Amino acid sequence: SDFAKWETDGKIPNLGRVKDHFSRSAYLRVIRGKDKAATTLAKRSEQVETLLAKAQGFFIAGRDQDAINSLTEVFKIASDNADAHLLMGRLQERRGNLEGAITSLKAAVFWNSKLIAGHVLLGRIYFQKNELVQARNHLKQALTLNPEDRDALALKRLIDSENKLENK
């Protein structure tokens, strides 16, 4: 419709930059580049999944340092992996580094705001630190995502029992 207006007004813009022919070789270069990028992305994703599975196995086996090493490799490849940040938060909590756990868990819920386990664990750590406002905020987010989550409901009971003690 714009071209029709230009034509009737007699004001056709300079279209010198528009290609008037199709370059098959340029098209093939673009397609090959996309194929390489897709293949690289698939390999990267597969590598991340493998490293994350190893880290989870190490975590379950209690081999924290091996799990941390695997997660470090994951972060080199995909620093935005929320599951890796969540697992790192769990590792840090188990090791007693609550500030490190909070940092990792905040990263996890930043990259995936629907990560209920991250919100619940953050709420639990804030409860341990007696920061009830923060604990309630993360509990509220977890319950908003899934009002029937067992871990979130357990945290709610814990916070409610603390509120009853404060009110006495």
Side-chain angles (χ1 to χ4, degrees):
S1 65
D2 287 339
F3 189 78
K5 266 195 258 180
W6 297 333
E7 196 172 41
T8 55
D9 294 342
K11 299 178 183 176
I12 298 175
N14 183 3
L15 301 175
R17 294 181 52 155
V18 176
K19 286 192 171 204
D20 60 353
H21 68 284
F22 178 77
S23 170
R24 181 172 167 76
S25 61
Y27 172 75
L28 291 174
R29 276 195 307 272
V30 169
I31 294 301
R32 286 184 191 120
K34 286 181 182 178
D35 287 347
K36 285 181 184 177
T39 303
T40 303
L41 185 62
K43 285 180 183 176
R44 180 181 145 219
S45 178
E46 186 179 310
Q47 188 178 17
V48 166
E49 291 302 317
T50 301
L51 286 167
L52 192 55
K54 282 171 99 174
Q56 288 170 339
F58 290 142
F59 176 78
I60 291 168
R63 295 171 53 189
D64 291 356
Q65 192 56 50
D66 291 330
I68 290 171
N69 293 341
S70 289
L71 290 173
T72 302
E73 292 299 314
V74 170
F75 293 139
K76 288 178 185 176
I77 301 167
S79 61
D80 62 345
N81 190 298
D83 293 328
H85 285 288
L86 176 64
L87 186 56
M88 183 63 85
R90 287 183 171 154
L91 280 162
Q92 295 297 334
E93 181 202 21
R94 183 159 76 184
R95 296 178 121 206
N97 180 1
L98 296 184
E99 292 305 317
I102 288 171
T103 301
S104 293
L105 293 168
K106 281 184 176 180
V109 297
F110 173 79
W111 291 114
N112 182 358
S113 61
K114 296 180 180 180
L115 197 61
I116 296 171
H119 288 295
V120 171
L121 192 51
L122 270 168
R124 212 172 68 216
I125 291 171
Y126 281 126
F127 180 82
Q128 288 174 353
K129 293 180 68 175
N130 204 26
E131 296 179 22
L132 296 180
V133 173
Q134 292 280 24
R136 284 187 199 105
N137 288 339
H138 285 287
L139 171 64
K140 182 180 175 184
Q141 289 176 322
L143 289 174
T144 300
L145 294 168
N146 183 359
E148 297 174 9
D149 185 76
R150 291 177 24 195
D151 293 331
L153 292 173
L155 178 60
K156 183 180 185 323
R157 286 190 298 274
L158 196 61
I159 291 173
D160 288 346
S161 69
E162 183 67 23
N163 288 338
K164 288 178 186 175
L165 291 176
E166 282 182 354
N167 291 335
K168 285 186 178 182

